[in-house]
Amino acid sequence: MLAPVIASLHLSFINNRIKAYITEEKELIMEPSLKWAGNPNVTVLVKAFGLKATVQVVDLQVFASPRITLKPLVPSFPCFAKILVSLMEKPHVDFGLKLVGADLMAIPGLYRFVQETIKNQVANMYLWPRTLEVPIMDPSKAEKKPVGILYVKVVRAHNLRKKDLLGKSDPYVKLRLTEEKLPSKKTSVKHSNLNPEWNEEFKLVVKDPETQALELIVYDWEKVGKHEKMGMNVIKLKDLTPDETKSLTLDMLKNMDPNDVQNEKSRGQIVVEVTYKPFREADLPKEIREDANVVEKAPDDTPAGGGLLVVIVHEAQDLEGKHHTNPYVRILFRGEERKTKHIKKNRDPRWEEEFQFVCDEPPIHDKLHVEVLSRPPSIGIHSKENLGYVVVSLADVVSNKRINEKYHLIDSKNGRIQIELQWRTS
């Protein structure tokens, strides 16, 4: 009988070489050669025939040649529906066992026996063509292409149910379309308010208006600990008339189970305006610009040989100041400075602000400096604080036309910022 006592394992991963194939079957096949090595601190308690002994595992090394297949390749993020992993040959596992300072693997015949046992057991499970299959999404749904845009305006909420025993709640709304793996969109947080007003607008890409629904969940923001759900509801897209704006007042429910008696309790209401706009053939590229890497052209008066650098500051997460967190973003490019509005008392701000810089030539050698600052309260002794910054090289933006990424902020413990960059030419 084996009982692990200590399992503090520190391993280094080395990728020696890798082969990659794209086949006619809409799949990507990779065959890396891997070496996994380290000096672990693993102690195992062995019980046998009434005796106990402590054995230490040392000098662990694993050599393997796996085949990793991503299939099928689909137009939806993360661009594949399944991961299949198998081994092209039996793996080699090398390690030592020490018992009270003695090397057990030095016992004649034991090392070979352990090696062959491990190889055969692992090979029986995963040696090609046997595979470990990890489903990521439903392929039939992932293959679907965008057919329209859902415009959502989160207006306000009424009489939300108080979650905190002391003080008022700090509500915000998460919204997403069902059958999608994309992260939810979020409104700003309204502190100490059970009747918050947001008036914030969002766009969501629709793939199947007959089966998809808009899910709205109101949470109570907490500075420490899990954010607690205050209520939810959904809007079925098939109930919407295309191109017609509909204002809805929805009761907040605990869940979407019609038989749950908890849904009879009053949790307040949320007011939203929704408009579903199906794509027309003429405006398809423009409508799905955010998701298909299609970039608008620059204005006609853009300098010849130059272009328009567009910087869209979307949002940030996990910001934290020492004395205050009222964040805004400052952008520096070729001596020009631009700033977003500041948002009071918010660690996860959403700006959705766009800035444009006219360039006489492509900025292939330039860098964009983006820093997140916190404005101090009007009454107080503290000055503004730097919550982190990032420096972005623009060569990739010029070559790719569009980049939309989240960056970890330098000089911030956990802060991240999402910035979209576009290079538009006439």
Side-chain angles (χ1 to χ4, degrees):
M1 177 179 179
L2 301 180
V5 178
I6 301 175
S8 175
L9 185 61
H10 301 282
L11 299 174
S12 60
F13 174 83
I14 303 172
N15 184 354
N16 293 326
R17 64 183 185 273
I18 186 170
K19 297 178 182 178
Y21 311 91
I22 297 179
T23 71
E24 297 296 326
E25 301 299 324
K26 291 185 178 180
E27 62 184 12
L28 174 62
I29 299 175
M30 297 177 287
E31 294 178 358
S33 177
L34 305 179
K35 176 183 177 182
W36 200 18
N39 190 14
N41 179 19
V42 178
T43 304
V44 180
L45 180 64
V46 181
K47 296 180 181 179
F49 306 109
L51 301 176
K52 296 181 180 179
T54 301
V55 179
Q56 184 181 8
V57 180
V58 295
D59 298 328
L60 175 63
Q61 297 186 66
V62 180
F63 302 85
S65 299
R67 168 177 282 185
I68 303 171
T69 304
L70 310 179
K71 62 181 291 187
L73 301 180
V74 296
S76 301
F77 180 83
C79 302
F80 53 87
K82 291 187 294 185
I83 302 176
L84 296 95
V85 182
S86 59
L87 295 174
M88 301 305 295
E89 58 187 38
K90 291 184 178 181
H92 178 79
V93 181
D94 192 7
F95 59 90
L97 294 175
K98 286 188 176 182
L99 173 63
V100 195
D103 187 358
L104 292 181
M105 300 305 281
I107 299 175
L110 180 60
Y111 180 80
R112 182 181 295 274
F113 172 75
V114 172
Q115 276 290 326
E116 291 303 315
T117 301
I118 292 175
K119 287 182 181 180
N120 291 333
Q121 290 296 325
V122 175
N124 287 339
M125 292 186 291
Y126 300 121
L127 191 62
W128 191 85
R130 295 186 182 92
T131 59
L132 170 66
E133 183 174 315
V134 182
I136 304 298
M137 61 176 72
D138 186 340
S140 62
K141 295 177 181 178
E143 291 282 2
K144 293 181 179 179
K145 296 182 179 180
V147 297
I149 295 286
L150 181 68
Y151 295 84
V152 183
K153 182 177 182 180
V154 182
V155 182
R156 67 180 67 88
H158 299 299
N159 303 319
L160 294 178
R161 188 177 175 185
K162 182 178 177 182
K163 303 301 291 186
D164 295 334
L165 295 177
L166 300 174
K168 295 183 179 180
S169 298
D170 307 313
Y172 70 94
V173 183
K174 275 189 175 182
L175 56 157
R176 71 177 189 93
L177 286 176
T178 56
E179 303 179 15
E180 282 287 356
K181 296 291 184 180
L182 296 173
S184 299
K185 296 180 181 291
K186 296 189 295 184
T187 68
S188 58
V189 179
K190 299 300 181 182
H191 292 276
S192 302
N193 197 334
L194 296 176
N195 296 280
E197 287 201 21
W198 288 285
N199 291 308
E200 297 180 21
E201 299 179 354
F202 304 89
K203 292 190 294 184
L204 299 97
V205 177
V206 178
K207 293 183 179 178
D208 190 346
E210 290 300 313
T211 61
Q212 285 186 291
L214 173 66
E215 181 183 81
L216 298 151
I217 305 179
V218 180
Y219 285 93
D220 179 15
W221 179 87
E222 296 290 345
K223 187 172 184 179
V224 179
K226 184 179 180 181
H227 299 186
E228 193 171 359
K229 186 168 77 172
M230 303 179 72
M232 68 173 299
N233 212 321
V234 299
I235 301 171
K236 295 180 180 180
L237 300 194
K238 66 180 181 180
D239 295 337
L240 301 178
T241 303
D243 297 311
E244 181 180 303
T245 300
K246 197 169 186 179
S247 181
L248 299 170
T249 301
L250 307 173
D251 291 326
M252 291 284 91
L253 307 174
K254 180 182 180 182
N255 54 52
M256 298 312 299
D257 181 358
N259 299 318
D260 193 336
V261 295
Q262 292 289 328
N263 284 327
E264 296 177 5
K265 294 183 179 180
S266 175
R267 288 180 167 79
Q269 297 176 314
I270 187 170
V271 180
V272 294
E273 295 177 3
V274 290
T275 310
Y276 170 55
K277 292 191 175 183
F279 289 149
R280 299 176 181 83
E281 198 65 32
D283 59 12
L284 180 62
K286 181 179 179 181
E287 291 290 342
I288 63 174
R289 173 172 57 86
E290 290 185 350
D291 297 87
N293 257 359
V294 179
V295 177
E296 293 179 0
K297 288 186 174 295
D300 294 335
D301 57 354
T302 302
L308 193 67
L309 176 65
V310 179
V311 181
I312 304 173
V313 182
H314 288 295
E315 60 182 356
Q317 288 91 33
D318 297 325
L319 302 178
E320 187 170 1
K322 292 182 179 179
H323 304 289
H324 48 78
T325 306
N326 307 308
Y328 68 95
V329 176
R330 178 173 176 257
I331 300 170
L332 293 174
F333 174 69
R334 291 185 176 177
E336 292 188 57
E337 178 187 82
R338 307 289 171 83
K339 294 179 182 179
T340 67
K341 64 179 181 294
H342 87 282
I343 300 177
K344 294 182 179 179
K345 298 180 180 180
N346 199 321
R347 293 183 59 198
D348 303 301
R350 177 184 290 274
W351 291 283
E352 300 295 349
E353 293 189 38
E354 178 178 310
F355 305 93
Q356 298 183 354
F357 300 89
V358 178
C359 303
D360 294 327
E361 57 184 18
I364 56 176
H365 301 297
D366 290 278
K367 294 183 178 181
L368 186 75
H369 184 93
V370 180
E371 59 183 355
V372 184
L373 302 165
S374 176
R375 178 181 293 182
S378 55
I379 301 176
I381 60 174
H382 301 293
S383 59
K384 69 179 179 182
E385 292 186 27
N386 194 320
L387 305 182
Y389 72 95
V390 65
V391 179
V392 183
S393 297
L394 299 176
D396 288 342
V397 182
V398 176
S399 59
N400 295 325
K401 302 301 182 185
R402 174 181 179 268
I403 291 178
N404 189 354
E405 292 187 10
K406 282 190 176 181
Y407 300 90
H408 286 273
L409 291 168
I410 301 170
D411 290 344
S412 173
K413 184 177 180 180
N414 299 308
R416 303 179 305 280
I417 186 168
Q418 182 180 352
I419 305 170
E420 180 178 341
L421 303 172
Q422 296 180 14
W423 175 243
R424 301 178 184 175
T425 55
S426 54

